Amino acid sequence: LPRPNVLLVTIDTLRADRLGCYGRSAAKTPWIDRLAREGVRFERCYASAPLTRPSHATILTGLEPFHHGVRDNLSMALPEGLPTLAALLGGEGWTSAAIVASDPLVRASGLDRGFGAYDDDLDATAPRPEGHFRERTADQGADRALGFLEGAGRRGPFFLWAHFFDPHAEYSPPAEYRRAGTPYDGEIAFVDAQLGRILAALEESGRLDDTIVVVTADHGEGLGDHGEATHGYFLYDSTLRVPLVVRWASGLEPGTSVADPVRLVDVCPTILDLAGVEGPPDQDGLSLSSAAKGGAVDARVAHAEAWERLGQFGWRPLVSVRARGWKIIDVNVGG
């Protein structure tokens, strides 16, 4: 069979419950909602860390942070020798590119490994407020993605990872999206519209139905829940529960909803399985392809950790484990 294209979209700091397809009636997210209607929506997906770099390392390797070794946003890089999604697909003939939108994911992260092109040029973007990362806005990222699809993306099957950073604090959506609710909701609506440009281009070129589209987030946002304004410190579901939507018209039934809990560490093995590529035997994640096709989700334990506050304040890290309907947060790690 023809090998499918793969479009992996990670939207930074996106809570699942701020999307229309996850129950927020006021959400302005028609494109992601459409993907959910035409694909598979995993109702409860959980991140391994409420931080950008560790979580993306998990998404791209199928390994938990305690195995890939990336525990913070800037000082730790993915070790050499770990197979990545890009390297595994590239080794089987996929043309690959990544377009990232913030400092934690630049080449120094090690996440560029295996990509044929890695676009992390953030120098031309507007300066950020003091204490915040540089950011490429969603329209700029979509422009780069469309350029890839018009060029290298037409040569054989492609793997494109598009990262959008806009819902990360500080929240400052374009003026026309400020009517979407809070500024945070406006940023989400803006990203949805720019993702729509990419999907529309694939549809117009006749490639959308032959593309495995995966939309997810690295973590959520506190928004004041449990006294946490943003993320990175605690392990509550406000920052761990993320959306996971998979659409592939050529291989998955539309309108499927999976209620069993799954994990971001399952994303890499799922994409490999759907694409027909064998993954490494030591991945922590498990493929969700059977569940996406109507089968059951195998029992699995969801692990999460928060290490950043250890580095900032000398506090002990937090670790949580979720299984069989229960979740425990251990506040005495190392003690």
Side-chain angles (χ1 to χ4, degrees), residues 39 44 80 97-98 125 149 156 164 188 215 254 260 305:
R44 293 183 292 161
E80 294 285 346
T125 62
L149 293 175
F164 296 103
I188 295 169
V215 176
D260 293 330
E305 62 174 49

Side-chain angles (χ1 to χ4, degrees), residues 8 10 21 26 39 68 140 160 189 195 219 240 258 261 312-313 319 325:
L8 171 63
T10 58
C21 56
H68 62 58
Q140 295 171 330
L160 173 61
L195 170 59
H219 54 76
L240 291 183
V258 178
Q312 287 185 340
F313 306 116
V319 171

Side-chain angles (χ1 to χ4, degrees), residues 101-214:
S102 65
D103 290 306
L105 302 182
V106 297
R107 292 176 185 270
S109 67
L111 299 181
D112 62 325
R113 195 165 310 131
F115 283 100
Y118 199 83
D119 188 341
D120 64 345
D121 180 12
L122 306 176
D123 294 339
T125 62
R128 298 291 294 163
E130 184 178 355
H132 293 274
F133 297 123
R134 293 178 301 165
E135 176 182 344
R136 171 184 286 154
T137 56
D139 54 340
Q140 295 171 330
D143 288 345
R144 304 289 181 100
L146 292 171
F148 167 78
L149 293 175
E150 282 296 316
R154 289 189 175 274
R155 299 195 294 269
F158 68 78
F159 167 41
L160 173 61
W161 168 33
H163 166 247
F164 296 103
F165 195 67
D166 304 71
H168 196 285
E170 297 278 321
Y171 320 122
S172 182
E176 61 267 35
Y177 294 95
R178 293 173 189 167
R179 297 186 298 273
T182 68
Y184 175 72
D185 294 312
E187 294 275 33
I188 295 169
F190 178 45
V191 170
D192 182 86
Q194 299 308 312
L195 170 59
R197 293 174 58 204
I198 299 172
L199 297 174
L202 287 173
E203 191 166 39
E204 290 168 7
S205 66
R207 292 180 287 174
L208 181 60
D209 286 351
D210 297 324
T211 300
I212 300 169
V213 181
V214 179

Side-chain angles (χ1 to χ4, degrees), residues 53-55 57 65 68-73 76-79 109 111 305:
R53 185 179 291 185
S55 191
H68 62 58
V70 181
R71 318 302 276 272
D72 66 20
N73 265 336
M76 298 179 179
L78 190 69
S109 67
L111 299 181
E305 62 174 49

